[in-house]
Amino acid sequence: GQNIDQPTEMTATEGAIVQINCTYQTSGFNGLFWYQQHAGEAPTFLSYNVLDGLEEKGRFSSFLSRSKGYSYLLLKELQMKDSASYLCAVMDSNYQLIWGAGTKLIIKP
Amino acid sequence: DAEITQSPRHKITETGRQVTLACHQTWNHNNMFWYRQDLGHGLRLIHYSYGVQDTNKGEVSDGYSVSRSNTEDLPLTLESAASSQTSVYFCASSAEEIVTGELFFGEGSRLTVL
């Protein structure tokens, strides 16, 4: 079966750095995506990785290793507004998105 | 600005009733999707459409149906609501030419079946 694993919850301090991991086992691979979802709101797109390596976008970076079935989302200079759930999703061989259950990130002052 | 809207945002219904959740997008996207989101689960695909008159079943399609009569709308119908269908439902759309998986989501419809 297809599976996406990510930690249920993480806590970090304002101004610090946090890394949210995602491991996957899917039927084929056509890209990995990270979305942010604030409580009670819609998910919004953060990043897309299809090749191995690091993609940087401002305070957020996303890393992919296809051989290890592994990705992480790195958030730097944490702000209170970064408190949200972070969803990892993989596009399989049928171009369907398989979603992880999400990681709830709590930022403390 | 282009957008995607869902209605109603909140609904309480009784077991056995028919319920329709509306989804309307002004992006002119061909691809539209319905997901449900439950605690402890990732988003699960219910139905999707790649264009007018095209509909496809997703992972959890039993008890749900959709129709696509125009580009803008993909209503989701629960034929006979069950308590197991209590959930938050998200509609999403994406541009046909982008195979990057970037979806634009509506704000969600919270459905409670008593």
Side-chain angles (χ1 to χ4, degrees), chain B residues 21-38:
Chain B
L21 305 179
C23 176
H24 179 82
Q25 53 98 3
T26 58
W27 296 98
N28 201 35
H29 286 164
N30 280 324
N31 304 336
M32 294 185 73
F33 308 83
W34 273 105
Y35 288 93
R36 60 178 289 174
Q37 187 174 43
D38 304 286

Side-chain angles (χ1 to χ4, degrees), chain A residues 6 14 36 39 45 50-51 63 66-67 79 84 98 103 106:
Chain A
Q6 47 182 136
E14 189 177 17
Q36 181 189 58
F45 173 81
V50 67
L51 298 176
F63 172 83
R66 288 172 296 171
S67 63
Q79 301 175 9
I98 311 301
T103 298
I106 299 168

Side-chain angles (χ1 to χ4, degrees), chain A residues 30-35 45 47-49 87-91 97 99, chain B residues 99-102:
Chain A
N30 281 301
L32 185 140
F33 309 84
W34 286 95
Y35 280 73
F45 173 81
S47 69
Y48 165 67
N49 295 68
L87 314 181
C88 174
V90 172
M91 183 169 279
L97 283 173
W99 296 82
Chain B
V99 193
T100 59
E102 181 176 359

Side-chain angles (χ1 to χ4, degrees), chain B residues 4-102:
Chain B
I4 180 166
T5 55
Q6 296 182 226
S7 63
R9 295 290 311 280
H10 301 272
K11 185 168 182 68
I12 300 174
T13 191
E14 296 177 341
T15 302
R17 295 209 180 237
Q18 183 180 81
V19 176
T20 296
L21 305 179
C23 176
H24 179 82
Q25 53 98 3
T26 58
W27 296 98
N28 201 35
H29 286 164
N30 280 324
N31 304 336
M32 294 185 73
F33 308 83
W34 273 105
Y35 288 93
R36 60 178 289 174
Q37 187 174 43
D38 304 286
L39 199 64
H41 291 273
L43 289 163
R44 289 184 289 178
L45 184 63
I46 304 170
H47 282 285
Y48 61 100
S49 169
Y50 288 148
V52 176
Q53 301 302 331
D54 176 73
T55 61
N56 304 281
K57 293 181 178 180
E59 174 191 1
V60 291
S61 61
D62 287 350
Y64 304 94
S65 63
V66 294
S67 60
R68 188 86 181 271
S69 58
N70 58 53
T71 301
E72 296 79 16
D73 299 290
L74 187 71
L76 177 71
T77 297
L78 288 68
E79 301 294 342
S80 177
S83 57
S84 60
Q85 294 176 309
T86 293
S87 186
V88 179
Y89 292 86
F90 285 100
C91 179
S93 71
S94 71
E96 180 178 26
E97 66 273 14
I98 296 177
V99 193
T100 59
E102 181 176 359

Side-chain angles (χ1 to χ4, degrees), chain A residues 37-58:
Chain A
Q37 185 178 24
H38 285 101
E41 298 184 8
T44 55
F45 173 81
L46 284 178
S47 69
Y48 165 67
N49 295 68
V50 67
L51 298 176
D52 290 351
L54 189 68
E55 294 281 342
E56 298 186 77
K57 192 183 292 185

Side-chain angles (χ1 to χ4, degrees), chain A residues 11-22:
Chain A
T11 301
T13 304
E14 189 177 17
I17 299 173
V18 71
Q19 177 175 310
I20 302 174
N21 295 326
C22 171

